[in-house]
Amino acid sequence: MKRQHERGQVLILAAGFLTVLMLAAGLAIDVGYLRYQKRRMQSAADSSAIAGAAEISQGDWSSAAISDASTNGYVDTSLGGTASVVPAQPYICPWSDSNSPNCIQVTVSQPEPVFFMRIVGINSATLTAQATAWMGRGPGCIYALSTGPDSLVIGNGGE
């Protein structure tokens, strides 16, 4: 019994499986890249919120937050960049006993390019990170990493 009509079927199946495998690998690369960029953006939002909260009493909270985001690589569109850095109006934190605004929320968003999802027509994904910072006294401890000679700065908010 000859099997001439079945010749080459494995080649078609292998090509199909290889295509699916390549698409899955491309999706994994894109999702990993977007996850990495989201983590960087969240760090910038956290830092911007802290910078904005530190300037609430001086009234320069908005420019401090925008400047800090720009230092972290997210330049606001008002400064010619591609990111949107929006520090909200300071407000009184619900958990504080203060009568004056001591909380600030910062939202950072920016479109990020994708690589392999372009095959299905998706050229970019807009990522958004949001952070809230509180300026006040409390039992908590805050730390910040820097690239200067003092690589770790620790301050206790309660003392």
Side-chain angles (χ1 to χ4, degrees):
M1 185 167 164
K2 287 188 171 184
R3 296 188 178 199
Q4 290 180 337
H5 299 295
E6 296 177 13
R7 183 177 271 174
Q9 289 182 6
V10 172
L11 180 63
I12 294 171
L13 286 174
F17 286 135
L18 187 58
T19 302
V20 170
L21 181 66
M22 293 298 287
L23 289 173
L27 181 64
I29 289 169
D30 279 347
V31 169
Y33 175 75
L34 291 175
R35 182 97 170 116
Y36 168 72
Q37 292 296 3
K38 170 75 174 181
R39 181 65 247 157
R40 284 187 61 233
M41 187 177 290
Q42 186 63 54
S43 295
D46 294 344
S47 179
S48 294
I50 291 170
E55 294 294 325
I56 288 176
S57 61
Q58 282 76 30
D60 197 22
W61 50 270
S62 181
S63 62
I66 291 172
S67 173
D68 192 83
S70 142
T71 301
N72 285 293
Y74 294 93
V75 180
D76 190 55
T77 53
S78 65
L79 301 174
T82 58
S84 170
V85 181
V86 182
Q89 186 73 25
Y91 59 95
I92 298 172
C93 293
W95 57 83
S96 76
D97 56 1
S98 174
N99 293 330
S100 60
N102 58 355
C103 264
I104 187 170
Q105 187 175 57
V106 176
T107 303
V108 178
S109 64
Q110 177 173 304
E112 294 291 341
V114 293
F115 309 106
F116 294 97
M117 284 195 270
R118 292 179 185 195
I119 295 170
V120 292
I122 300 172
N123 294 327
S124 67
T126 300
L127 302 178
T128 302
Q130 197 171 54
T132 302
W134 168 49
M135 185 61 170
R137 296 179 56 83
C141 178
I142 185 169
Y143 69 93
L145 297 175
S146 73
T147 57
D150 300 327
S151 61
L152 181 62
V153 179
I154 300 177
N156 187 341
E159 296 179 8

